[in-house]
Every structure is written in structure tokens, then in C-alpha cells.
């Protein structure tokens, strides 16, 4: 509750929290709130020349080139983009914490191997690596989530390694080990709880990166495949109509921008709130 109160007291994080709440509500309630099904091709959604219709009282965000309601597709696209963001980032944070804690606690040759592998992965451009992996595998929602997780765990692993390496030298850890505590007890009761705030902060910040990366892969045609809507493939399908029907690109682009910005704002605020070294610096 203290964290929530701190978030709501800060105007910037309050804005991010409200936007995230709205996007989550629209995504979860899309089957009931969307005026049409995302794949319904509506005859009245096209002009006499077969062109998409601009925003109007009937179609609030206009229609796309097949006469589908853009508002409905953006709302259903939020479900896809946020699902990938949560799943992919959850896997990335979990794997990164496991690698970082193992390397920081075990040290020796095992720690050196794990962190060398982490540094090797960090040397590859994340977007390029994601494009290669997505191109090699058959694109689908879960494959895209897996690909994004495989390129986003390294930063979490490096931070978890640094924090774990410092913790194992603390007096309370040395005292616990001198009393005969096993590795599982030390890690589970004394190290892992200290990394919860790190997991929360990076879990929030990482969703913004994940949403952007998913949109990029879908825009390039190697992410979520039509007819399943995502914000990235909505823009991909409409890119050639950017000048004649700019609303087809503008509205999903705004959704990506606001969502990524909001998660970044909330993540930055959580880092300040949960990190004791940041308190009193505002």
C-alpha cells in the first residue's frame, strides 16, 4: 500500500498508472467493449470507391482497408501486445534472476561461465538477434514471446549478479552459513527476498521494451501473424496507406507510444520508491 500511495502522489507516475489501468481495462474487456469483432469486414466501413473510412460517429477511429473497425482492432491488439509483454518479460526476468543469482552465489568457474555467456549475449544487438530468431522459427504469439524473452534477460542477469555478489559477503550471510545453513536456505530466505524490488522494477520497465520489440517484429512481418491483431501488425498492414489514410497508422502508433511511456514512468517511480539509496534525493 505504501508503494501505491507513493505512485499516486507523483503526477508523472499517476499519469502512467492511469494510462496502464485504462489499457488493461480495454484489453481485458475488449469482447464486451469493442463495437465489432476485430475481423468483421463491414460493407458500411468502406467508401463507394472501396477506400477506408476516416473517424466518424459510427467508427470512432475509422476503418481499415478491408472495412474492419479500427477501434475494435486496436482494443483486441492491446490484448495481444500486453499478453506478449507480460509473458515474455516474466520469462526474461525469471531466467535473468536465476542466472544472476546462481553466478553471484556460486562464483568460481560456474559463475565465470554464466557471466561470460551473459556478456556474449549482451554484445549482440537485441533487435538483430530477435529478428534472426523470429525468422528461423515459425512466427506465432508464443514464439514471439519466447524470442523476446531470449534477448531481454541479460540486463536482469547482470544486475542480479552484482547484487548477489555483494550480498554473499554481508555479515548476516556469513553468519548463517557458519551455522550450517544449506545453500537453498541461504538463497531462498536471505538472497532472493533482497532481489524482489529489482524484479518488480525490471519487470515493469521491461514491459515497455517488450511491447516496442513485439511491435517492431510484427511491423517487419515476423511477429504476430494476421488475422490475429496486434498493434505492430495493424501498422504493418496499413503502411502503404500512410498518406491517404493516416489514421490507420496514427492510432495504433499512439497506443504503442502511450503504453511504453507509461510503463517506463511507473518503472522509474518504482525504482525510486523501492531503492533505499534513492530516497531523499527528490
Amino acid at each position: 500500500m505504501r508503494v501505491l500511495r507513493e505512485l499516486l502522489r507523483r503526477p508523472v507516475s499517476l499519469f502512467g498508472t492511469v494510462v496502464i489501468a485504462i489499457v488493461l481495462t480495454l484489453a481485458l474487456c475488449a469482447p464486451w467493449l469493442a463495437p465489432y469483432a476485430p475481423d468483421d469486414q463491414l460493407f458500411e466501413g468502406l467508401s463507394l470507391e472501396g477506400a477506408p473510412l476516416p473517424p466518424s460517429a459510427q467508427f470512432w477511429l475509422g476503418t481499415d482497408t478491408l472495412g474492419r473497425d479500427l477501434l475494435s482492432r486496436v482494443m483486441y491488439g492491446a490484448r495481444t501486445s500486453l499478453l506478449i509483454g507480460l509473458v515474455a518479460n516474466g520469462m526474461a526476468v525469471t531466467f535473468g534472476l536465476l542466472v544472476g543469482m546462481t553466478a553471484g552465489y556460486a562464483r568460481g568457474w560456474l559463475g565465470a561461465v554464466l557471466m561470460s555467456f551473459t556478456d556474449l549475449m549482451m554484445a549482440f544487438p537485441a533487435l538483430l538477434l530477435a529478428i534472426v530468431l523470429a525468422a528461423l522459427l515459425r512466427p506465432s504469439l508464443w514464439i514471439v514471446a519466447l524470442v523476446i524473452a531470449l534477448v531481454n534477460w541479460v540486463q536482469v542477469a547482470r544486475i542480479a549478479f552484482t547484487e548477489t555478489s555483494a550480498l554473499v559477503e554481508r555479515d548476516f550471510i556469513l553468519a548463517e552459513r557458519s551455522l550450517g545453513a544449506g545453500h537453498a536456505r541461504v538463497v531462498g530466505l536471505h538472497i532472493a527476498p533482497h532481489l524482489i524490488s529489482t524484479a518488480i522494477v525490471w519487470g515493469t520497465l521491461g514491459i515497455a521494451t517488450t511491447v516496442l520489440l513485439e511491435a517492431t517484429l510484427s511491423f517487419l512481418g515476423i511477429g504476430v501473424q494476421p488475422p490475429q491483431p496486434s498493434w505492430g501488425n495493424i501498422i504493418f498492414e496499413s503502411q502503404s496507406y500512410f498518406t491517404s489514410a493516416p489514421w490507420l497508422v496514427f492510432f495504433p502508433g499512439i497506443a504503442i507510444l502511450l503504453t511504453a511511456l507509461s510503463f517506463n514512468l511507473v518503472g522509474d517511480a518504482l525504482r525510486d520508491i523501492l531503492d533505499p539509496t534513492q530516497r531523499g534525493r527528490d
Side-chain angles (χ1 to χ4, degrees):
M1 293 301 296
R2 181 189 68 83
V3 174
L4 181 59
R5 287 196 300 268
E6 287 289 334
L7 281 177
L8 299 181
R9 283 176 52 193
R10 304 173 181 219
V12 173
S13 60
L14 175 61
F15 169 79
T17 303
V18 170
V19 171
I20 291 172
I22 293 173
V23 173
L24 285 174
T25 301
L26 293 177
L28 293 174
C29 301
W32 301 277
L33 296 179
Y36 305 96
D39 298 324
D40 282 352
Q41 297 183 8
L42 309 168
F43 178 76
E44 64 269 23
L46 294 172
S47 66
L48 295 177
E49 296 79 17
L53 295 179
S56 63
Q58 182 179 3
F59 305 105
W60 289 5
L61 301 187
T63 63
D64 67 5
T65 56
L66 297 178
R68 297 173 296 189
D69 179 56
L70 186 60
L71 174 60
S72 301
R73 291 186 61 76
V74 169
M75 291 173 66
Y76 275 88
R79 295 166 66 91
T80 303
S81 298
L82 289 181
L83 178 61
I84 290 178
L86 292 171
V87 172
N89 202 51
M91 290 191 295
V93 170
T94 301
F95 186 67
L97 286 175
L98 289 175
V99 171
M101 281 195 298
T102 302
Y105 183 79
R107 293 180 288 186
W109 66 269
L110 180 58
V113 169
L114 289 175
M115 295 319 296
S116 295
F117 176 68
T118 301
D119 293 338
L120 179 64
M121 291 293 294
M122 291 183 71
F124 285 96
L127 178 59
L128 180 60
L129 183 59
I131 291 174
V132 172
L133 291 174
L136 292 176
L137 302 172
R138 183 178 179 181
S140 69
L141 189 149
W142 302 112
I143 291 297
V144 171
L146 177 61
V147 167
I148 294 174
L150 289 176
V151 301
N152 274 355
W153 62 270
V154 289
Q155 293 85 358
V156 181
R158 172 55 67 180
I159 293 175
F161 169 75
T162 302
E163 294 190 7
T164 303
S165 298
L167 283 171
V168 295
E169 301 295 337
R170 300 281 295 274
D171 292 340
F172 69 94
I173 297 291
L174 297 175
E176 187 75 12
R177 296 178 67 176
S178 67
L179 293 174
H183 299 310
R185 177 180 175 84
V186 172
V187 172
L189 295 182
H190 299 287
I191 293 180
H194 283 81
L195 298 179
I196 291 177
S197 60
T198 300
I200 293 174
V201 171
W202 279 92
T204 306
L205 289 171
I207 292 177
T209 304
T210 303
V211 168
L212 291 172
L213 188 53
E214 181 278 324
T216 302
L217 294 176
S218 296
F219 175 75
L220 295 175
I222 53 177
V224 178
Q225 298 298 297
Q228 184 172 17
S230 78
W231 291 334
N233 67 26
I234 292 174
I235 297 176
F236 170 72
E237 293 174 339
S238 309
Q239 58 181 319
S240 58
Y241 293 85
F242 177 72
T243 55
S244 59
W247 61 88
L248 298 179
V249 176
F250 178 78
F251 288 117
I254 286 294
I256 295 171
L257 173 64
L258 286 178
T259 303
L261 175 63
S262 298
F263 275 107
N264 272 326
L265 293 176
V266 173
D268 284 338
L270 286 174
R271 180 177 56 193
D272 294 340
I273 295 169
L274 297 175
D275 186 357
T277 63
Q278 298 294 326
R279 296 175 188 166
R281 295 188 178 183
D282 297 335

